[in-house]
Amino acid sequence: MWYPRTWDVPPDPDLLTAVGGRVRDWACGATLMPSGHPAGQLRPLTHAERFACHSYPRGRPERLLTIAKLLTLWTMDDDIGEQWGISEHHTAAVFAALRGDTPATTDPYFQEWRKLGDELRDSGMSERWFRRFLGNLNTWYDNARLPERGRRESYEDYVRRRPDGTGAAAWLDLLEFVHHKELSPEQHTTSYVRNAYVFAKHDYMVAFNDVTSVARDERRGVPNLCSLIADKRSTTRVSAARELAAMHLSIVRRRLADLDRARAHRPDLTWWQELACAHHLGMARAHVPDETRYGEVQELEDSSFQVRVVVGEDAAAPNLLEDGLPR
């Protein structure tokens, strides 16, 4: 998967170490699994700092810690959703905790969500931003009502449903939180910002989530875009991966063209657009080598392939499809 060099903003290794240490200290005393689920079938995320620091490489350390804690809890709910679906009761408890609704919950898992909500609400961000973030997060929870395991759907149904189920919109909302700098309501409604949100959702699905979890998803009976393309075309997963690489390259090029227009017509958005581009690439960098959930190498019954994140000048991008993926 190819990204422009101008998007490449790696996090400071010392920041990764510092945030990681604090996340682990927090996790030692926190309840990270809800009650009522079979023992041994859920495992908390142990390296949330990698996703937080790569996604927001210039973020404030205290806020990166908040985001890492959020991701740890959110990933737990993602695992619940994949296996059993997330009940309306569970969703209501999460959002009541985040909003700080009274009375306070006595469930230790949802108490962690409540503490997280306190951190978000006491951060100095506007109520408008908080409502938008909760709205996008709620969209993800709505999409997680039914379990992914055993779901049968067509390619067409999947590509209609999946973008809103990536969580990428809420994750991009946190860009303003981690830098404590908000877009105005007018800025947020511009096509340039809206297009960045569309890109984030589709690139998550096309570039680095589904293609790095094909083997895992097929073992678990979970729909996956790479598998659905292969079945639709009656071809191998390698060929489907190449098609996804081509789709990714196309949407990156559209994103670059949109960025050029934004710089010309809305220079007031430059700060946010630059952070968003680093965010896009950072998300890919965090996902691809994560062997606990994803993986660079996908070993399948009909084929195998390796996924790589390639950073370079635009002129080098066309070679990706011929030289960047195994035949």
Side-chain angles (χ1 to χ4, degrees):
M1 301 299 163
W2 176 84
Y3 293 91
R5 193 175 302 283
T6 53
W7 296 15
D8 192 12
V9 184
D12 185 331
D14 291 339
L15 181 66
L16 272 164
T17 300
V19 175
R22 296 186 65 185
V23 172
R24 282 181 280 280
D25 288 344
W26 162 75
C28 286
T31 300
L32 302 181
M33 288 188 288
S35 59
H37 295 285
Q41 294 194 31
L42 295 172
R43 185 175 63 179
L45 184 67
T46 57
H47 49 283
E49 75 280 358
R50 178 177 178 84
F51 292 89
C53 292
H54 277 277
S55 299
Y56 315 97
R58 295 295 180 263
R60 299 184 178 192
E62 289 295 330
R63 298 192 174 211
L64 287 169
L65 176 60
T66 297
I67 289 173
K69 291 190 286 189
L70 166 66
L71 183 60
T72 302
L73 298 175
W74 189 0
T75 302
M76 176 56 63
D77 282 0
D78 186 31
D79 288 347
I80 292 170
E82 179 182 293
Q83 297 190 58
W84 303 289
I86 298 178
S87 69
E88 291 186 21
H89 173 77
H90 184 109
T91 298
V94 167
F95 283 87
L98 287 173
R99 290 191 301 265
D101 292 349
T102 54
T105 178
T106 57
D107 185 301
Y109 178 71
F110 294 112
Q111 283 180 349
E112 297 299 337
W113 278 103
R114 186 179 180 86
K115 293 172 189 174
L116 189 63
D118 291 343
E119 292 182 28
L120 292 169
R121 285 181 284 103
D122 294 342
S123 66
M125 299 298 286
S126 69
E127 180 64 26
R128 179 185 65 251
W129 174 87
F130 191 56
R131 286 197 305 269
R132 171 161 44 86
F133 168 70
L134 290 185
N136 283 327
L137 187 62
N138 189 64
T139 296
W140 181 88
Y141 274 87
D142 283 345
N143 275 270
R145 291 281 171 84
L146 296 176
E148 290 292 317
R149 285 194 180 185
R151 186 192 286 258
R152 296 289 182 266
E153 61 188 335
S154 66
Y155 165 84
E156 290 77 13
D157 288 342
Y158 184 83
V159 297
R160 278 193 295 268
R161 172 184 71 86
R162 180 60 176 150
D164 283 340
T166 62
W171 200 237
L172 192 53
D173 286 336
L174 291 168
L175 197 64
E176 294 166 78
F177 165 78
V178 79
H179 293 281
H180 199 185
K181 184 175 182 180
E182 295 187 38
L183 293 168
S184 71
E186 184 276 332
Q187 287 174 319
H188 209 276
T189 59
T190 62
S191 63
Y192 305 115
V193 173
R194 293 199 309 271
N195 289 345
Y197 273 79
V198 171
F199 174 87
K201 291 189 284 189
H202 285 84
D203 201 50
Y204 183 99
M205 175 178 68
V206 168
F208 53 82
N209 185 80
D210 287 35
V211 76
T212 59
S213 57
V214 185
R216 174 180 180 268
D217 287 347
E218 290 192 351
R219 286 195 305 270
R220 299 185 177 199
V222 172
N224 182 287
L225 184 58
C226 189
S227 304
L228 289 169
I229 288 174
D231 292 344
K232 180 180 175 67
R233 308 274 194 267
S234 297
T235 188
T236 67
R237 272 56 175 162
V238 169
S239 295
R242 286 202 186 95
E243 185 168 338
L244 287 175
M247 292 167 65
H248 158 74
L249 188 58
S250 175
I251 63 175
V252 169
R253 290 198 184 285
R254 289 200 299 271
R255 178 82 174 106
L256 287 169
D258 197 58
L259 286 167
D260 286 341
R261 290 188 290 270
R263 291 188 191 98
H265 300 291
R266 292 302 300 260
D268 57 310
L269 296 174
T270 299
W271 69 272
W272 186 88
Q273 295 282 12
E274 289 178 350
L275 293 172
C277 289
H279 173 85
H280 300 325
L281 174 53
M283 286 281 284
R285 277 255 169 85
H287 276 74
V288 171
D290 176 22
E291 294 184 358
T292 63
R293 292 173 175 273
Y294 306 99
E296 293 176 302
V297 177
Q298 295 293 302
E299 298 281 354
L300 303 154
E301 288 186 5
D302 66 355
S303 54
S304 63
F305 59 86
Q306 182 178 10
V307 181
R308 293 190 295 124
V309 175
V310 178
V311 176
E313 304 304 325
D314 186 61
N319 294 327
L320 177 69
L321 298 182
E322 295 187 11
D323 300 326
L325 287 171
R327 300 190 179 283

Short mmCIF file of all heavy atoms in Angstrom, two decimals, residues 263-287:
data_model
loop_
_atom_site.label_atom_id
_atom_site.label_comp_id
_atom_site.label_asym_id
_atom_site.label_seq_id
_atom_site.Cartn_x
_atom_site.Cartn_y
_atom_site.Cartn_z
N ARG A 263 -5.63 23.42 -0.47
CA ARG A 263 -4.55 24.38 -0.24
C ARG A 263 -4.80 25.67 -1.01
O ARG A 263 -4.49 26.76 -0.53
CB ARG A 263 -3.22 23.78 -0.65
CG ARG A 263 -2.74 22.65 0.24
CD ARG A 263 -1.31 22.23 -0.11
NE ARG A 263 -0.97 20.99 0.58
CZ ARG A 263 -1.03 19.79 0.03
NH1 ARG A 263 -1.40 19.66 -1.24
NH2 ARG A 263 -0.71 18.70 0.72
N ALA A 264 -5.36 25.54 -2.21
CA ALA A 264 -5.59 26.72 -3.04
C ALA A 264 -6.77 27.54 -2.55
O ALA A 264 -6.73 28.79 -2.58
CB ALA A 264 -5.81 26.29 -4.50
N HIS A 265 -7.83 26.87 -2.10
CA HIS A 265 -9.07 27.57 -1.79
C HIS A 265 -9.34 27.74 -0.30
O HIS A 265 -10.07 28.66 0.09
CB HIS A 265 -10.25 26.84 -2.45
CG HIS A 265 -10.15 26.75 -3.94
ND1 HIS A 265 -10.26 27.86 -4.76
CD2 HIS A 265 -9.91 25.70 -4.76
CE1 HIS A 265 -10.12 27.50 -6.03
NE2 HIS A 265 -9.91 26.19 -6.05
N ARG A 266 -8.78 26.86 0.54
CA ARG A 266 -9.03 26.95 1.97
C ARG A 266 -7.73 26.76 2.77
O ARG A 266 -7.54 25.75 3.45
CB ARG A 266 -10.07 25.91 2.40
CG ARG A 266 -11.48 26.16 1.88
CD ARG A 266 -12.04 27.52 2.31
NE ARG A 266 -12.10 27.68 3.74
CZ ARG A 266 -13.23 27.53 4.46
NH1 ARG A 266 -14.35 27.23 3.84
NH2 ARG A 266 -13.21 27.71 5.76
N PRO A 267 -6.82 27.73 2.67
CA PRO A 267 -5.55 27.60 3.42
C PRO A 267 -5.76 27.54 4.93
O PRO A 267 -4.87 27.06 5.65
CB PRO A 267 -4.76 28.84 3.01
CG PRO A 267 -5.77 29.80 2.49
CD PRO A 267 -6.85 28.97 1.87
N ASP A 268 -6.91 27.99 5.41
CA ASP A 268 -7.19 27.92 6.85
C ASP A 268 -7.33 26.48 7.34
O ASP A 268 -7.27 26.22 8.56
CB ASP A 268 -8.46 28.69 7.20
CG ASP A 268 -9.68 28.20 6.42
OD1 ASP A 268 -9.59 28.08 5.18
OD2 ASP A 268 -10.72 27.93 7.05
N LEU A 269 -7.49 25.53 6.41
CA LEU A 269 -7.62 24.12 6.79
C LEU A 269 -6.30 23.36 6.72
O LEU A 269 -6.26 22.17 7.05
CB LEU A 269 -8.63 23.42 5.86
CG LEU A 269 -10.07 23.90 5.92
CD1 LEU A 269 -10.90 23.22 4.83
CD2 LEU A 269 -10.68 23.64 7.28
N THR A 270 -5.22 24.05 6.32
CA THR A 270 -3.95 23.36 6.09
C THR A 270 -3.46 22.61 7.33
O THR A 270 -3.00 21.46 7.24
CB THR A 270 -2.89 24.36 5.61
OG1 THR A 270 -3.32 24.94 4.38
CG2 THR A 270 -1.55 23.66 5.40
N TRP A 271 -3.56 23.24 8.50
CA TRP A 271 -3.06 22.59 9.72
C TRP A 271 -3.77 21.26 9.96
O TRP A 271 -3.13 20.26 10.30
CB TRP A 271 -3.25 23.51 10.93
CG TRP A 271 -4.68 23.74 11.35
CD1 TRP A 271 -5.52 24.71 10.89
CD2 TRP A 271 -5.44 22.96 12.28
NE1 TRP A 271 -6.76 24.59 11.47
CE2 TRP A 271 -6.74 23.53 12.33
CE3 TRP A 271 -5.16 21.85 13.08
CZ2 TRP A 271 -7.75 23.02 13.15
CZ3 TRP A 271 -6.17 21.34 13.89
CH2 TRP A 271 -7.44 21.92 13.93
N TRP A 272 -5.09 21.26 9.76
CA TRP A 272 -5.86 20.04 10.01
C TRP A 272 -5.59 18.99 8.94
O TRP A 272 -5.45 17.80 9.24
CB TRP A 272 -7.35 20.37 10.08
CG TRP A 272 -8.21 19.22 10.47
CD1 TRP A 272 -8.55 18.82 11.72
CD2 TRP A 272 -8.83 18.27 9.58
NE1 TRP A 272 -9.34 17.70 11.69
CE2 TRP A 272 -9.53 17.34 10.39
CE3 TRP A 272 -8.87 18.13 8.20
CZ2 TRP A 272 -10.27 16.29 9.85
CZ3 TRP A 272 -9.59 17.07 7.65
CH2 TRP A 272 -10.28 16.17 8.48
N GLN A 273 -5.52 19.43 7.68
CA GLN A 273 -5.27 18.49 6.59
C GLN A 273 -3.92 17.80 6.75
O GLN A 273 -3.79 16.59 6.51
CB GLN A 273 -5.34 19.22 5.23
CG GLN A 273 -6.70 19.78 4.87
CD GLN A 273 -7.67 18.71 4.36
OE1 GLN A 273 -7.42 17.51 4.47
NE2 GLN A 273 -8.79 19.14 3.81
N GLU A 274 -2.90 18.54 7.15
CA GLU A 274 -1.59 17.93 7.33
C GLU A 274 -1.61 16.89 8.45
O GLU A 274 -1.02 15.82 8.32
CB GLU A 274 -0.54 19.01 7.61
CG GLU A 274 -0.24 19.88 6.38
CD GLU A 274 0.76 20.98 6.68
OE1 GLU A 274 1.08 21.19 7.88
OE2 GLU A 274 1.23 21.62 5.72
N LEU A 275 -2.29 17.22 9.54
CA LEU A 275 -2.40 16.25 10.63
C LEU A 275 -3.22 15.03 10.20
O LEU A 275 -2.92 13.90 10.59
CB LEU A 275 -3.06 16.91 11.84
CG LEU A 275 -2.24 18.01 12.54
CD1 LEU A 275 -3.10 18.71 13.60
CD2 LEU A 275 -0.98 17.43 13.17
N ALA A 276 -4.26 15.26 9.39
CA ALA A 276 -5.09 14.16 8.92
C ALA A 276 -4.30 13.22 8.02
O ALA A 276 -4.45 11.99 8.09
CB ALA A 276 -6.32 14.69 8.19
N CYS A 277 -3.42 13.76 7.18
CA CYS A 277 -2.62 12.92 6.30
C CYS A 277 -1.65 12.06 7.10
O CYS A 277 -1.48 10.86 6.82
CB CYS A 277 -1.85 13.79 5.30
SG CYS A 277 -2.91 14.55 4.05
N ALA A 278 -1.01 12.65 8.11
CA ALA A 278 -0.14 11.86 8.98
C ALA A 278 -0.94 10.79 9.71
O ALA A 278 -0.46 9.68 9.95
CB ALA A 278 0.56 12.78 9.98
N HIS A 279 -2.18 11.13 10.05
CA HIS A 279 -3.08 10.18 10.71
C HIS A 279 -3.38 9.00 9.79
O HIS A 279 -3.33 7.84 10.22
CB HIS A 279 -4.37 10.91 11.08
CG HIS A 279 -5.45 10.06 11.60
ND1 HIS A 279 -5.55 9.70 12.92
CD2 HIS A 279 -6.53 9.48 10.99
CE1 HIS A 279 -6.62 8.95 13.11
NE2 HIS A 279 -7.22 8.80 11.94
N HIS A 280 -3.69 9.28 8.51
CA HIS A 280 -4.00 8.21 7.56
C HIS A 280 -2.85 7.20 7.48
O HIS A 280 -3.05 5.98 7.58
CB HIS A 280 -4.25 8.78 6.16
CG HIS A 280 -5.37 9.76 6.05
ND1 HIS A 280 -6.53 9.65 6.79
CD2 HIS A 280 -5.51 10.87 5.26
CE1 HIS A 280 -7.34 10.65 6.47
NE2 HIS A 280 -6.75 11.39 5.56
N LEU A 281 -1.65 7.71 7.26
CA LEU A 281 -0.50 6.82 7.12
C LEU A 281 -0.17 6.13 8.45
O LEU A 281 0.16 4.94 8.47
CB LEU A 281 0.72 7.61 6.63
CG LEU A 281 2.06 6.86 6.56
CD1 LEU A 281 1.95 5.56 5.78
CD2 LEU A 281 3.13 7.76 5.96
N GLY A 282 -0.31 6.85 9.55
CA GLY A 282 -0.03 6.26 10.85
C GLY A 282 -0.93 5.09 11.17
O GLY A 282 -0.50 4.09 11.77
N MET A 283 -2.19 5.20 10.77
CA MET A 283 -3.12 4.09 10.96
C MET A 283 -2.63 2.84 10.24
O MET A 283 -2.65 1.73 10.78
CB MET A 283 -4.51 4.48 10.45
CG MET A 283 -5.25 5.46 11.35
SD MET A 283 -5.97 4.61 12.76
CE MET A 283 -7.38 3.83 11.96
N ALA A 284 -2.18 3.02 8.99
CA ALA A 284 -1.68 1.88 8.23
C ALA A 284 -0.43 1.30 8.89
O ALA A 284 -0.28 0.08 9.02
CB ALA A 284 -1.36 2.30 6.80
N ARG A 285 0.47 2.19 9.32
CA ARG A 285 1.71 1.73 9.94
C ARG A 285 1.45 0.94 11.22
O ARG A 285 2.19 0.03 11.56
CB ARG A 285 2.56 2.96 10.26
CG ARG A 285 3.37 3.45 9.06
CD ARG A 285 4.83 3.06 9.22
NE ARG A 285 5.59 3.29 7.99
CZ ARG A 285 6.13 4.45 7.66
NH1 ARG A 285 5.95 5.50 8.44
NH2 ARG A 285 6.83 4.56 6.56
N ALA A 286 0.41 1.30 11.95
CA ALA A 286 0.10 0.59 13.20
C ALA A 286 -0.55 -0.76 12.93
O ALA A 286 -0.31 -1.73 13.65
CB ALA A 286 -0.80 1.45 14.08
N HIS A 287 -1.37 -0.84 11.90
CA HIS A 287 -2.13 -2.06 11.64
C HIS A 287 -1.30 -3.18 11.02
O HIS A 287 -1.36 -4.33 11.47
CB HIS A 287 -3.31 -1.77 10.71
CG HIS A 287 -4.53 -1.26 11.40
ND1 HIS A 287 -4.62 0.03 11.88
CD2 HIS A 287 -5.71 -1.86 11.70
CE1 HIS A 287 -5.81 0.20 12.44
NE2 HIS A 287 -6.49 -0.93 12.34
#
